[in-house]
Amino acid sequence: MKKNISQRDIAQMLNVNVSTVSRALKGLPGVSPELRQEIVELAEKQGYRPNPFAMSLRYNTTRTIGVIVPDLSFSHFSHIVKSIEAEARKAGYMCIITDSGETYEGELACVELLEKLHVDGIVMGLSQETEDFTHLERLKQSNIPVVLFDRTVELGFSSVGINDVATARQMTLHLIDGGARRIAFLGGSNQMKQTIDRKHGYLEALRERGIPIKRELVRCNHASFNAGLTETFDLLKLPEPPDAILAAHGLLAGSAFQAIISLGLRIPGDIAICGYMSDWVSDMFHPRVTFVKQNLKEIGRKTFKLLHDQMTGDDSVRHLIVNAHMEVRESTQKGSSS
C-alpha cells in the first residue's frame, strides 16, 4: 500500500526545513510566495493529508468530543445527536458517538472507551439504570469537561434539559379541564431526575385542583415499550380504571395507546392519553396524540455550546432549560373518539 506522504517527506524533496513546510501549508508568514506555492503544489500532487494523531500529540488536543446516548435507535436522541454533531463540525470538532444501551454497565464502557481515545470533552444522556455517578466524578478529576443533556443530575455538572415540571403540570391540568378525574401517570425509572420532575408536575396539578392522589395510578418502572404495555394493562384491570393517562416517555405513550386500542376501548371517549413525543410520532396515531413539543435541535445546540465553553476555559456550572410546550391533538378532546 502507498504510504501517506508527510511534511518531513515534502521537506526532504525540496531540501527545506520541516518548519518551513508546516508554515507554508498553514498559510503562516515567514515563507516566500514562490516557495509557498512550490510546497503547496507538491503537497497536492503527492496527495498530502494532515495526520490528526500527530497534531493531537503536538497541540494536546484531538479535536474530538465523545457523545454517549442511552438509545440511538430512539428518534428523540438521534435528533439531539444530529444537532450536536452539526455544531461540533462548525467548530472544527469530530464526534465519536456511543450507545450505552440504557444500562449502567454500558455507560461505564462508553466512558472508558472515550477516555482511552483522549477526547477533549464528553456530552451524555444518562441511562435509566444510572444511580452511581463515580464515573462522572472521575472525569471531573481528570479535567475532562462533561455536559449532560435530556437526562440530568444536579451534582456539579452543566446540563441542558426542558421545563419538565411545568409541562407535566400543564398536561395534567389539560386532562382535568377535559373532565378526567382518575389520571394515571406512566413514568420511567424513579432514579431519573426527568421522571421525578415530571411526576412532580403531575402531582402538583392534582393538588391544585383538589383531586385525591391515588397510589395505584402512579406507575414508575422502566421506560420501554413492553413495560408500558404491562403497566397499562394492569391499570385498565383495576376496579376503578383510569379515565386518562399521562405518559412521561414516548415509548410509554405509544405502548399505552396500543394497549388501550387492543382492548376495544375508545380514545378519548373511554380514556384520554397524552405524553412526551415528537410531532411526527403523534401524527402516526389515530387519533393523533396530545404531546409535549420539544426543540431537540436547540437542546443539541446548547449542549455543544456549554461543552465548548468548558473546553475553552469556562469552569462555571450552568443548567440551561429549553422551553417546551403542549400541543393539543384529538386524543384528549372528548368530542372526537377513535
Side-chain angles (χ1 to χ4, degrees):
M1 293 180 66
K2 183 179 178 181
K3 177 186 174 183
N4 289 335
I5 191 170
S6 68
Q7 291 187 12
R8 185 174 299 279
D9 295 328
I10 295 172
Q12 289 176 350
M13 291 178 187
L14 296 176
N15 197 27
V16 297
N17 292 326
V18 176
S19 61
T20 302
V21 174
S22 178
R23 297 180 72 84
L25 294 176
K26 291 178 181 176
L28 299 175
V31 184
S32 69
E34 296 80 11
L35 181 55
R36 183 190 308 279
Q37 183 176 351
E38 190 176 1
I39 291 171
V40 170
E41 287 179 353
L42 180 59
E44 291 178 351
K45 181 180 178 181
Q46 295 293 330
Y48 167 75
R49 290 179 296 171
N51 186 330
F53 297 104
M55 292 174 65
S56 70
L57 290 173
R58 184 176 302 171
Y59 300 106
N60 197 31
T61 175
T62 60
R63 302 297 292 181
T64 60
I65 67 168
V67 182
I68 302 176
V69 187
D71 182 359
L72 196 54
S73 66
F74 188 45
S75 66
H76 173 85
F77 292 122
S78 58
H79 279 83
I80 295 174
V81 170
K82 185 175 181 180
S83 176
I84 292 171
E85 197 276 334
E87 294 300 315
R89 197 181 327 119
K90 289 179 189 176
Y93 288 83
M94 293 294 291
C95 291
I96 299 174
I97 300 168
T98 62
D99 188 325
S100 71
E102 285 285 19
T103 68
Y104 175 65
E105 290 301 321
E107 189 171 292
L108 290 181
C110 291
V111 168
E112 290 173 3
L113 171 65
L114 295 174
E115 284 181 296
K116 290 177 181 177
L117 292 174
H118 299 282
V119 295
D120 295 337
I122 295 175
V123 296
M124 62 188 301
L126 298 171
S127 82
Q128 293 188 57
E129 293 183 359
T130 302
E131 51 185 326
D132 180 349
F133 305 103
T134 307
H135 57 310
L136 298 186
E137 294 295 342
R138 186 177 74 246
L139 292 173
K140 181 187 293 186
Q141 291 169 7
S142 300
N143 295 316
I144 300 175
V146 176
V147 174
L148 305 178
F149 66 87
D150 193 63
R151 299 179 188 168
T152 66
V153 290
E154 295 177 351
L155 292 174
F157 297 93
S158 291
S159 64
V160 181
I162 69 165
N163 48 333
D164 285 311
V165 175
T167 51
R169 173 182 172 275
Q170 182 185 21
M171 285 204 293
T172 306
L173 289 175
H174 170 69
L175 292 171
I176 295 171
D177 291 342
R181 291 299 178 267
R182 285 182 56 80
I183 303 171
F185 178 85
L186 278 183
S189 168
N190 260 322
Q191 58 211 29
M192 290 196 302
K193 182 178 182 297
Q194 183 184 81
T195 299
I196 294 170
D197 287 347
R198 292 175 183 179
K199 182 166 63 175
H200 178 71
Y202 155 81
L203 296 173
E204 190 177 84
L206 294 181
R207 295 188 186 101
E208 186 176 326
R209 295 297 173 84
I211 295 177
I213 297 169
K214 302 291 185 180
R215 284 184 176 273
E216 69 271 18
L217 297 180
V218 180
R219 304 296 178 98
C220 295
N221 198 331
H222 192 73
S224 68
F225 191 85
N226 287 338
L229 282 176
T230 300
E231 296 290 5
T232 303
F233 283 132
D234 286 347
L235 285 166
L236 297 176
K237 291 176 184 175
L238 290 172
E240 294 182 77
D243 53 13
I245 292 177
L246 165 57
H249 190 283
L251 288 175
L252 296 175
S255 56
F257 190 101
Q258 293 299 323
I260 293 167
I261 295 299
S262 72
L263 293 176
L265 298 173
R266 298 169 303 146
I267 300 174
D270 297 313
I271 182 168
I273 183 171
C274 58
Y276 289 75
M277 59 175 59
S278 300
D279 46 3
W280 68 269
V281 175
S282 168
D283 291 342
M284 289 175 61
F285 293 96
H286 179 71
R288 295 179 303 167
V289 177
T290 293
F291 68 102
V292 169
K293 185 175 180 64
Q294 305 178 54
N295 190 337
L296 304 181
K297 184 175 181 180
E298 184 68 3
I299 292 173
R301 191 187 72 79
K302 287 185 179 296
T303 296
F304 178 75
K305 176 65 166 58
L306 277 184
L307 185 70
H308 189 261
D309 288 348
Q310 287 191 22
M311 293 189 300
T312 52
D314 183 358
D315 59 1
S316 62
V317 175
R318 288 180 284 168
H319 303 293
L320 304 184
I321 298 298
V322 177
N323 284 326
H325 64 275
M326 178 178 65
E327 293 275 345
V328 178
R329 298 292 186 263
E330 294 86 4
S331 70
T332 57
Q333 296 176 306
K334 290 294 185 180
S336 56
S337 301
S338 174

